[in-house]
Amino acid sequence: MVSREAEVLLRQLVAEGVSPWFAASRSEQLDAAVLKGPDFPFQGVVLPPGGSGDLVRAACDALAPLFAASGGAVGQVSAPVDPRYAEEPGPLLDAARTLHRGVARPNLVVRIPMTGAGVQVLADCLAEGIGVDATLVFSTEKYAEVLDAYVDGMERALVSGRRLACISAVTTFPVGAFEQEVDARLERLGSREARGTAGQAMARRLYRLREQRLAEDWWRVLRAGGAIPPRLLWAGGGRRSVSRLVGWHTAHALPAGVLEDAARGEELYGDTLLNADREGAGMLRRLERLGARLGEAVAALEAAELRRLQNDWELSSGSAPAACGGSACSTGPGAERT
């Protein structure tokens, strides 16, 4: 499936504590890749919208031995919940439950946009034992909300007696989308300075925030209960992000083409995130001084990327949302039934 050079790079990433995930743009790629079983060289999968229930289960089954052997640390499969319900907590939670029940695999993480409703649903899913991939996180402020929801949900799961090691929590930072938005703003300002730095800078800030939160008392309680540290997943950053974003308990979502480009042109030089928060904060301040207005960029990205996810879902599924009454749907959308 991948070249020898790519296999070497994947092994190097794993040795650095980075979990390589296969990011498929089309379900056809997974028919050819995941179903090969033991030769699949990745530790996670990001599924596109529109994949069948059989495909989601096949991906989960291919990674199930790795999930079991690692005690739940790696081996997850991220599948999207219908993003057209992103602003409605009741229907969104129903969609997550339906997908979770329909796939019925412990290494599934349901992919949920982190709107206000999404953050609420994240906590409720974790409390019910449903793993979550929290996406559309573009700022430390939003990631702080995600971590608060993580604590809430996992504490509730612990109190109810659930096995915390079986509840996976992933947060996806779309590195490429963030950097492109900031660079476009710099270009409109006529500035050639600091382009190509925003993604790495924000990733460093997110990583530091997670490390600070994992040093707090709440994490010691959850860890004693068997919880696995929440993972940061870098997505869409291109070949350069593979070597620039290396840190403990992170992951890279790698399309096949990006992986091969990185294998031919990038070298790893160890951890680039630990104790790099000061440099990241300095980069972001410089971008602000140049006029990038990062707060406005984040708000614009959250809205634009949510619209993109909704459009992609429409195109891939060819279906309209189920009719809802009140705060919840009578049947949850977002997954095929078994």
Side-chain angles (χ1 to χ4, degrees):
M1 177 189 174
V2 301
S3 68
R4 185 169 300 176
E5 293 81 3
E7 289 181 355
V8 170
L9 178 59
L10 292 174
R11 287 196 295 270
Q12 290 174 336
L13 287 170
V14 171
E16 294 288 352
V18 181
S19 178
W21 289 35
F22 181 66
S25 59
R26 304 184 314 276
S27 59
E28 291 82 2
Q29 291 178 309
L30 295 173
D31 290 337
V34 172
L35 297 181
K36 289 184 178 180
D39 296 327
F40 190 64
F42 295 90
Q43 293 189 339
V45 169
V46 179
L47 290 167
S52 69
D54 287 342
L55 180 59
V56 179
R57 285 185 288 274
C60 289
D61 290 344
L63 291 174
L66 182 60
F67 184 77
S70 67
V74 294
Q76 291 83 5
V77 174
S78 172
V81 167
D82 190 337
R84 294 171 298 180
Y85 296 92
E87 305 289 353
E88 304 174 76
L92 189 61
L93 180 57
D94 282 347
R97 287 168 172 163
T98 300
L99 178 56
H100 176 73
R101 287 195 303 266
V103 174
R105 301 294 190 273
N107 55 334
L108 172 73
V109 288
V110 298
R111 193 157 71 244
I112 299 174
M114 288 296 102
T115 58
V119 173
Q120 175 183 335
V121 170
L122 163 64
D124 290 340
C125 282
L126 296 175
E128 295 181 16
I130 301 172
V132 177
D133 176 3
T135 192
L136 298 195
V137 174
F138 294 104
S139 67
T140 53
E141 292 79 9
K142 179 64 71 175
Y143 190 38
E145 293 179 19
V146 168
L147 290 172
D148 287 342
Y150 170 80
V151 174
D152 176 23
M154 293 295 277
E155 285 181 339
R156 287 155 56 191
L158 180 62
V159 169
S160 65
R162 297 186 184 278
R163 291 186 58 202
L164 300 191
C166 294
I167 308 174
S168 299
V170 180
T171 298
T172 296
F173 170 44
V175 180
F178 181 75
E179 191 157 286
Q180 289 166 16
E181 174 67 22
V182 174
D183 284 356
R185 287 168 176 264
L186 294 175
E187 184 174 358
R188 289 195 293 271
L189 292 167
S191 175
R192 295 185 176 275
E193 294 184 56
R195 293 190 191 179
T197 65
Q200 182 182 30
M202 185 58 74
R204 287 174 167 180
R205 294 282 287 138
L206 298 175
Y207 186 85
R208 177 56 176 165
L209 176 59
R210 189 195 64 172
E211 295 307 288
Q212 289 174 326
R213 298 294 292 271
L214 290 177
E216 295 176 359
D217 289 341
W218 64 265
W219 171 245
R220 284 190 281 272
V221 174
L222 294 179
R223 185 62 167 168
I228 303 296
R231 189 176 293 273
L232 279 163
L233 174 64
W234 319 120
R239 56 175 271 186
R240 293 185 307 166
S241 70
V242 176
S243 59
R244 287 184 175 187
L245 304 180
V246 176
W248 172 81
H249 217 77
T250 62
H252 276 290
L254 298 169
V258 170
L259 172 62
E260 295 297 341
D261 286 346
R264 290 191 295 268
E266 299 293 322
E267 293 185 32
L268 301 188
Y269 298 98
D271 194 310
T272 65
L273 296 172
L274 186 64
N275 299 322
D277 173 64
R278 185 170 297 178
E279 292 88 342
M283 289 180 190
L284 295 178
R285 286 194 298 269
R286 183 184 180 194
L287 291 167
E288 287 283 9
R289 288 195 299 269
L290 291 170
R293 297 189 176 182
L294 298 180
E296 293 181 6
V298 167
L301 271 170
E302 289 174 344
E305 287 296 294
L306 180 57
R307 287 194 300 270
R308 182 187 63 79
L309 291 179
Q310 292 168 339
N311 290 337
D312 288 350
W313 184 278
E314 294 271 4
L315 289 173
S316 64
S317 66
S319 62
C324 294
S327 61
C329 294
S330 57
T331 58
E336 293 193 6
R337 297 181 181 275
T338 54

